[in-house]
Amino acid sequence: MDLARPQVAARRTRSAAARLGLVAVPVAFFAVFFAYPVAAIVARGLHVDGAWRFGRLWDVLEQSDIRHVLWFTTWQALASTALTLLIALPGAYVFARFDFPGKQVLRAVVTVPFVLPTVVVGTAFLALVGRGGLLDELWGVRLDTTVWAILLAHVFFNYAVVVRTVGGLWAQLDPRQEEAARMLGASRWTAWRTVTLPALGPAVAAAALMVFLFTFTSFGVVQILGGPAFSTLEVEIYRQTSEIFDLSTAAVLTIVQFLAVGSILAVHAWTVRRRESALRLVDASVTARRPRGAGQWALLAGVLAVVAVLLVLPLAVLVRRSLDAPGFGYYRALTESDGGVFLVAPIEAIGNSLQYAVVATLIAVLVGGLAAAALTRRDAGRFVRGFDALLMLPLGVSAVTVGFGFLISLDEPPLDLRSSWILVPLAQALVGVPFVVRTMLPVLRAVDDRLREAAAVLGASPWRVWREIDLPMVRRALLIAAGFAFAVSLGEFGATVFIARPDNPTLPVAVARLLGRAGDLNYGQAMALSTVLMVVCAVALLVLERLRTDRTGEF
């Protein structure tokens, strides 16, 4: 027994060192490239003439136009969330309980909008409801610069969040529990309300919170469709930073958004823990069946109609508008440089975006993979578990703030990166890391800890344990995580718009610049570039769908 104690102590020491090593890289990455830039821009706005001016917080919040921005940001996020749940929950049920031909293809189609850049989403709806759009051509109706265009675009973007999050759980709920309630005399509605709905509650809450988070921080969609009449916090931060150069007001709005996002993520983490610990699930493959009866077939037809009109039609109109010029004229025009807004031909943005996205994906997989491995360990302390929530912050904190923070904080040795190409993939990787963590963490947690312990007892180093035990089991999840990081990096806009150099624009930045210029040629080129970006993202998603498993298929 005494001889075993030194071995146990040595193993614990190695385990603690391995845990610190795993978490060191993610902590350093987020400290340097997230916390530091955000703190720098907030400090720049509130620290004036050698003194802190916290009274500026109340001065800004008392302004009527700022209160209007806060009200509209909250109101449209609540409305978008409610509308998304109303439209998407029937789809979640259909994907969970029905089995029909083409289901996997339809699942990929439903998910395409979520991985599309917000600039493409805004452009697609502009082609549908804007000047010269389909509704304008057919009935003379324009919805751009109206709140309805924004709400519908948000539903388009977040439909898959509800379908994947709620539908993924719904498919694994044992239907025999509801059937038992009906055998005891409960009506179909009563059985669903008292048995199924409480079990779905955590998933519905988690989906609603995620939709609210994405719409509360909406930038690209509102920037393109809202016009001067509508402005969210994110858009207002961009306007105050890049147009008015009022860093003090931008800093206050950043603090407000940071506090709001932190609260949302805290509630989201609580609902996810409830979902993970309070349910007994069955194999999803045994709960789906072919629709039976006229009512179920009508429900399936209704969901298909919603997908066709709300999700497919805007993208189809986008493609059609890109082909309006004869002989692929808009696409050919992408190869020409005008020497104005673009120092290079717009088509070069495709190569730039692909190169940046590959580098950002490598960074995100490295940082996110280490973070997920650290969070998986049973001996993880409170600091490591708290870091789990911090990893989600880049999804909600203003990307505009991060991008501008890069410019004003990473400008001195040893981190003078303002003129370096690496700045763009670093910003993109910040958004990709949470997706990597959320994709890999459930699979890593499913690995039997006894396998790791047995390998360690036999003398395997932590690195060999990971290589021999974890990696073979999570290889597919790792590929899926890389795919999500690639798609998200490809479409990042909020931070990239600040730091992308004029001679190296990314696809979303190029689309936004073309939309900001008058003329049918510029508009058509924006449609063409958006179509290219959509196709690239869709191809990446189809590859992910082939790799997807039930365990790794949810957001």
Side-chain angles (χ1 to χ4, degrees):
M1 183 69 68
D2 292 337
L3 294 176
R5 287 179 180 175
Q7 296 178 355
V8 173
R11 191 162 60 246
R12 288 177 178 174
T13 301
R14 289 197 303 269
S15 178
R19 182 174 68 250
L20 291 176
L22 289 172
V23 80
V25 172
V27 168
F29 179 80
F30 273 80
V32 174
F33 298 113
F34 179 69
Y36 178 47
V38 171
I41 195 170
V42 171
R44 182 72 63 93
L46 296 181
H47 193 264
V48 182
D49 297 330
W52 290 97
R53 298 188 176 182
F54 292 105
R56 180 64 175 157
L57 289 167
W58 310 116
D59 295 338
V60 171
L61 295 178
E62 287 177 353
Q63 298 175 20
S64 59
D65 56 336
I66 297 299
R67 288 202 304 270
H68 174 75
V69 169
L70 292 173
W71 164 247
F72 176 74
T73 301
T74 306
W75 176 85
Q76 64 82 26
L78 289 171
S80 297
T81 302
L83 192 60
T84 303
L85 289 174
L86 179 66
I87 294 176
L89 281 176
Y93 175 79
V94 164
F95 278 100
R97 295 303 197 201
F98 291 171
D99 187 20
F100 51 90
K103 181 177 178 179
Q104 296 303 320
V105 175
L106 187 64
R107 188 193 301 272
V109 170
V110 164
T111 313
V112 164
F114 180 76
V115 300
L116 285 180
T118 55
V119 170
V120 174
V121 175
T123 307
F125 272 82
L126 198 62
L128 179 63
V129 303
R131 174 181 58 85
L134 183 63
L135 295 185
D136 194 13
E137 290 180 358
L138 295 179
W139 299 293
V141 175
R142 289 181 56 186
L143 295 178
D144 59 327
T145 69
T146 69
V147 71
W148 279 109
I150 295 173
L151 296 181
L152 290 175
H154 283 162
V155 175
F156 170 92
F157 186 77
N158 292 292
Y159 186 90
V161 175
V162 177
V163 169
R164 287 296 187 110
T165 304
V166 180
L169 177 63
W170 210 334
Q172 294 180 275
L173 291 181
D174 192 344
R176 291 173 297 185
Q177 296 177 352
E178 187 174 326
E179 293 169 1
R182 296 197 62 195
M183 291 181 62
L184 293 174
S187 64
R188 183 182 297 274
W189 163 249
T190 301
W192 183 84
R193 180 175 54 84
T194 57
V195 177
T196 304
L197 183 59
L200 286 176
V204 174
L209 286 166
M210 289 303 295
V211 173
F212 184 85
L213 174 65
F214 290 139
T215 54
F216 187 84
T217 58
S218 182
F219 178 56
V221 167
V222 180
Q223 179 82 344
I224 293 174
L225 295 176
F230 302 105
S231 180
T232 58
L233 266 174
E234 187 83 350
V235 174
E236 188 64 21
I237 292 172
Y238 175 78
R239 191 175 73 89
Q240 294 288 341
T241 302
S242 64
E243 298 177 8
I244 303 178
F245 303 107
D246 187 350
L247 290 185
S248 179
T249 299
V252 170
L253 297 181
T254 296
I255 293 172
V256 172
Q257 185 167 335
F258 186 85
L259 293 175
V261 167
S263 301
I264 296 170
L265 291 177
V267 177
H268 178 264
W270 178 71
T271 59
V272 168
R273 283 196 299 271
R274 285 189 59 198
R275 175 184 171 187
E276 290 180 344
S277 61
L279 299 175
R280 294 294 181 268
L281 307 178
V282 298
D283 186 355
S285 62
V286 303
T287 62
R289 63 177 186 272
R290 291 185 65 83
R292 293 180 295 186
Q296 292 188 356
W297 281 107
L299 177 60
L300 175 59
V303 169
L304 292 177
V306 168
V307 170
V309 173
L310 184 63
L311 305 186
V312 178
L313 182 60
L315 300 180
V317 172
L318 172 65
V319 175
R320 186 186 73 84
R321 288 302 304 270
S322 73
L323 298 173
D324 277 351
F328 298 95
Y330 292 143
Y331 289 91
R332 291 203 313 271
L334 295 176
T335 63
E336 303 170 1
S337 174
D338 60 5
V341 174
F342 292 101
L343 300 181
V344 296
I347 198 170
E348 293 192 19
I350 300 174
N352 296 335
S353 288
L354 292 175
Q355 293 173 21
Y356 288 144
V358 168
V359 177
T361 299
L362 293 175
I363 297 172
V365 168
L366 173 63
V367 175
L370 291 174
L375 293 170
T376 306
R377 301 181 69 89
R378 285 186 176 180
D379 55 352
R382 290 184 178 180
F383 171 75
V384 176
R385 291 194 295 270
F387 188 57
D388 184 16
L390 296 179
L391 291 172
M392 294 289 288
L393 283 178
L395 291 181
V397 173
S398 170
V400 171
T401 300
V402 174
F404 195 66
F406 270 32
L407 292 182
I408 67 173
S409 61
L410 304 179
D411 60 345
E412 296 180 357
L415 285 175
D416 187 0
L417 302 177
R418 285 185 301 175
S419 59
S420 174
W421 64 271
I422 195 65
L423 208 58
V424 173
L426 284 172
Q428 295 173 346
L430 277 173
V431 185
V433 167
F435 287 91
V436 173
V437 174
R438 290 297 152 217
T439 303
M440 295 187 63
L441 196 55
V443 182
L444 283 170
R445 284 175 173 167
V447 177
D448 193 339
D449 234 9
R450 291 172 296 182
L451 296 175
R452 300 189 184 105
E453 293 170 357
V457 168
L458 293 174
S461 66
W463 162 246
R464 188 174 181 183
V465 170
W466 160 257
R467 180 165 53 87
E468 300 290 345
I469 304 297
D470 293 74
L471 184 58
M473 297 185 180
V474 303
R475 185 179 291 112
R476 181 169 293 182
L478 185 63
L479 292 174
I480 292 175
F484 270 121
F486 180 82
V488 170
S489 301
L490 200 63
E492 204 288 321
F493 176 62
T496 308
V497 71
F498 272 99
I499 56 182
R501 293 162 51 181
D503 58 340
N504 284 292
T506 63
L507 277 170
V509 172
V511 170
R513 289 178 182 174
L514 287 168
L515 287 175
R517 305 172 69 185
D520 290 337
L521 178 60
N522 293 317
Y523 185 80
Q525 286 180 287
M527 297 293 165
L529 266 186
S530 296
T531 300
V532 171
L533 187 50
M534 177 189 70
V535 170
V536 173
C537 290
V539 170
L541 182 66
L542 289 174
V543 173
L544 292 182
E545 194 63 27
R546 288 186 63 86
L547 295 172
R548 188 186 65 85
T549 64
D550 285 336
R551 187 179 296 278
T552 58
E554 298 174 31
F555 293 115

